[in-house]
Amino acid sequence: MMRIPEDYLERVYAGVLGKLVGVYLGRPIEGWSHARIMRTLGPIAYYVHERLGRPLVVTDDDISGTFTFVRALEDHGVSPDLSAEEIGKTWLNSIVGGRSTLWWGGNGNSTEHTAWLNLKHGIEAPASGAIATNGKTIAEQIGAQIFIDGWALVAPGQPHLAARLAEQAARVSHDGEAVFAAKLWAAMEAAAFNTADVDQLLETGLSVIPADSRIARLIGDVRRWRGENADWQATRQAIENHYGYDKYPGICHVVPNHALMIMAILYAPDDFARAQTIVNTAGWDTDCNAGNVGCLMGIMLGLEGLDAGPDWRGPLADRLLISSADGGNAVNDAVRVSYHLADLGLRLAGRDGIEPPKDGARFHFSLPGSVQGFRPQKGAETRVRLSNEPFAGARALAIRYKALAEGQPAAVTTPTFAPPEVGVMDIYQLMATPLLSPGQHLKARLVAPASNRGTVAARLRLSVYDEDGRLRDVDGTPVGLPPGTAKTLGWRVPSFDGQPIGAVGIALGANTSGVEGEVLLYYLRWDGSPDVVLRRPPGRSDFWHRAWVNAVDSFSDRFAESFRISQARDEGMIIHGTRDWTDYRVQTECVLHLGDYGGVALRVQGLRRYYGVRVTRENRLEIVRVRDEEVKVLASTPFDLALEKRMQVIASAVGNIIRARVDDVDIEARDESELAFRDGGIGLVIASGALSADFVAVSPP
């Protein structure tokens, strides 16, 4: 067994936060030169997004790739022997071509795009990323390095294991010096759980790569320049002179950027904020470089090191976005991601995984300083503030309010779907589905300390997209909380005519003036199957359309039907729902206009992991299990298919039984194998043709 640090979970959390801070700090100036940064902004000492008119939390490949590819451990077994081929399969299951996760810069331009195309065309990893396949320039760009943090976070104190996993992941898309850089940085991050000595970390990293590699040689040079120059800018200039972008072909080569990362940790070995200033002010691929540096220093220095400088965590509020085919994983937070990674790390070490806090509540605030995306609603900032506080042997979110008066509530919410600013996020598209659906049971535990002044009225709040694409608030029944009491608020989420729920939270109000104090939010959760009819709602808003992961050539909203999907060749699907969904029933009326097959998907866990109920051009009705490259027909029966004819479809997944009725034909399959799917969302599937439906209803079985 590995020796797991006692503070492992908190150090993972610090590493995840460090990654997020670095990425979001560097994202607005990605690709800028050092000279442009100094001329336009000066040294980067804090977030600059507002100065440049951009949102802070955006979709970014560094975050999406890092926290998507590590899920290969779930897909293929939590094992140190995970292979590049298996991670490549996770790419194909998780990445929506041309839309999610990666920079889609073109074949031969973007390394990851090129590798994904290779995988799609049957070139398995590691050949998909090899120099022999793609050439040296493509293979040695920066991407392998920027995605490796997750592999180190699941291998605490095990640098050789972290390097091995990082190498397998890197070789899906990269080769040569790019792989060496990824291995070295992963080894350093894994070792950082046990030491804060940067020189020792560098020696550990160098031990896993060839001594004559260019990465090893540049580290020697940067260390020497650090000894010669007290000013980091002199070393930055030396890096540009010897390892600058002009020396290496391609749009974003790993070598120049790796040198800047090494420089940052040598000049600020114990100062998170200063390291971020150095690596961001230095320029080039700022979000990638700052994200890797931030993760390393977060692991090394812990939450205390992260909190020693400016307030990085306040504006961030734990928020992150992960764009992949698993839309239910998109709107996320650092606490959930950290628990997931630490659970994988413990299991990889041969130990039991982490018991979910507070009986699996979605929001439990169990890590110091965590707020899990909760922030005051606009207009309530002066009346309420948030903090994470110890409570009853655990932790809770303290909602402190002052001078509440009738008609002036104080509300705090956390996102459950794509934010309104999603339309202005450049480069990287967000694939997301709502986390919370009508029919589910929402519950929150609130505690009012005895020191409060007056009774506060608390209610659950939903922010729902309206017909104009704006969020409007819908509140549950108020419950009085006198000082010294605790109550559980409950609400069955109502239907909103197909509009998605954008946020959930707590609204506090008073019937008299002068009510002050705090309410502790111990947990907020939802349970149960959805009970929702998905269709085009009235109005101009397109958020109902965005609520589906779009993995087809055309998902049009210009036809009379709500859903019209078309795929030129092979298979495509649109996906809705989350992995919280287990047993449910789906009903729709669909039309196969053209195609090899089409129908509905159940328990969808990506593009290549689901159960399908489909009708085929061979006049068969089938239940299939799709798992990576294997399509297993679990049941099949004759069915007279007629193109352009509306079909009544009812399908359900309950336990290990999949049932369906299409028109008057029944079919059933039982999957008791180890490959069975236990949870996942729903989808509409089409192969080489077009399919439409006016509604899709999901309900308890």
Side-chain angles (χ1 to χ4, degrees), residues 181-199:
K183 290 178 64 178
L184 178 135
W185 203 263
M188 289 172 59
E189 287 185 345
F193 281 97
N194 292 334
T195 181
D197 185 325
V198 166
D199 284 322

Side-chain angles (χ1 to χ4, degrees), residues 14-37:
V16 171
L17 286 172
K19 175 82 171 182
L20 299 180
V21 169
V23 169
Y24 292 139
L25 183 60
R27 180 73 185 87
I29 53 173
E30 180 184 18
W32 288 27
S33 67
H34 172 65
R36 181 185 177 190
I37 291 169

Side-chain angles (χ1 to χ4, degrees), residues 4-85:
I4 303 294
E6 291 185 4
D7 60 350
Y8 173 47
L9 175 59
E10 285 191 19
R11 297 277 286 283
V12 171
Y13 181 43
V16 171
L17 286 172
K19 175 82 171 182
L20 299 180
V21 169
V23 169
Y24 292 139
L25 183 60
R27 180 73 185 87
I29 53 173
E30 180 184 18
W32 288 27
S33 67
H34 172 65
R36 181 185 177 190
I37 291 169
M38 292 298 292
R39 182 175 64 251
T40 307
L41 299 168
I44 306 300
Y46 198 60
Y47 299 119
V48 298
H49 62 288
E50 290 184 343
R51 295 167 66 182
L52 299 174
R54 299 183 180 183
L56 176 63
V57 177
V58 296
T59 312
D60 190 274
D61 60 337
D62 298 67
I63 293 168
S64 293
T66 297
F67 300 126
T68 294
F69 301 151
V70 74
R71 299 182 79 178
L73 285 167
E74 295 176 84
D75 291 346
H76 304 288
V78 181
S79 166
D81 298 322
L82 185 71
S83 69
E85 180 182 349

Side-chain angles (χ1 to χ4, degrees), residues 152-454:
L153 291 168
V154 301
Q158 295 289 316
H160 289 278
L161 174 59
R164 187 204 170 277
L165 292 171
E167 178 177 14
Q168 295 304 303
R171 290 194 181 280
V172 175
S173 50
H174 291 74
D175 202 351
E177 297 294 334
V179 174
F180 300 150
K183 290 178 64 178
L184 178 135
W185 203 263
M188 289 172 59
E189 287 185 345
F193 281 97
N194 292 334
T195 181
D197 185 325
V198 166
D199 284 322
Q200 184 178 337
L201 293 178
L202 284 169
E203 292 303 317
T204 298
L206 288 167
S207 73
V208 301
I209 67 172
D212 62 349
S213 64
R214 192 172 298 271
I215 292 294
R217 293 200 302 273
L218 81 79
I219 290 172
D221 286 340
V222 177
R223 287 172 118 174
R224 175 168 52 81
W225 294 328
R226 171 64 180 96
E228 296 170 354
N229 304 313
D231 185 352
W232 68 265
Q233 298 205 51
T235 294
R236 191 215 63 81
Q237 187 60 55
I239 289 171
E240 183 167 356
N241 293 342
H242 291 83
Y243 295 103
Y245 268 24
D246 59 316
K247 312 294 191 301
Y248 296 93
I251 195 167
C252 192
H253 201 279
V254 69
V255 167
N257 290 289
H258 192 82
L260 296 184
M261 290 161 48
I262 299 297
M263 178 187 72
I265 64 173
L266 286 174
Y267 277 89
D270 56 1
D271 190 330
F272 180 92
R274 178 161 169 75
Q276 286 297 315
T277 292
I278 292 170
V279 77
N280 280 287
T281 309
W284 294 337
D285 199 356
T286 47
D287 62 333
C288 300
N289 299 340
N292 284 135
V293 168
C295 185
L296 172 67
M297 299 201 73
I299 297 168
M300 185 170 63
L301 303 176
L303 294 174
E304 296 81 4
L306 203 67
D307 294 336
D311 178 19
W312 303 113
R313 298 175 66 181
L316 185 63
D318 289 327
R319 294 171 295 154
L320 71 148
L321 300 171
I322 302 172
S323 185
S324 75
D326 186 354
N329 196 48
V331 178
N332 220 312
D333 66 75
V335 173
R336 285 182 59 80
V337 168
S338 298
Y339 268 83
H340 175 242
L341 292 171
D343 180 74
L344 290 174
L346 290 172
R347 291 161 58 196
L348 194 58
R351 302 191 180 191
D352 292 335
I354 294 178
E355 189 71 24
K358 302 177 185 177
D359 195 30
R362 173 97 191 180
F363 302 106
H364 51 81
F365 318 108
S366 297
L367 294 174
S370 64
V371 298
Q372 294 195 257
F374 277 85
R375 294 177 297 159
Q377 274 193 313
K378 188 175 182 180
E381 297 93 340
T382 61
R383 296 191 298 276
V384 63
R385 63 186 179 90
L386 300 173
S387 65
N388 182 286
E389 303 293 339
F391 175 73
R395 307 191 75 87
L397 183 68
I399 308 170
R400 293 191 171 89
Y401 52 90
K402 61 180 181 179
L404 290 184
E406 189 173 0
Q408 292 185 320
V412 298
T413 61
T414 188
T416 56
F417 182 47
E421 62 266 24
V422 68
V424 299
M425 294 181 187
D426 57 348
I427 301 179
Y428 300 105
Q429 186 174 344
L430 178 63
M431 296 277 106
T433 66
L435 305 179
L436 178 61
S437 297
Q440 294 186 298
H441 295 272
L442 187 60
K443 185 186 296 185
R445 181 67 173 171
L446 301 177
V447 179
S451 57
N452 282 0
R453 178 181 170 185

Side-chain angles (χ1 to χ4, degrees), residues 678-694:
R678 308 300 178 194
D679 51 58
I682 58 100
L684 295 175
V685 180
I686 183 63
S688 302
L691 179 141
S692 68
D694 196 45

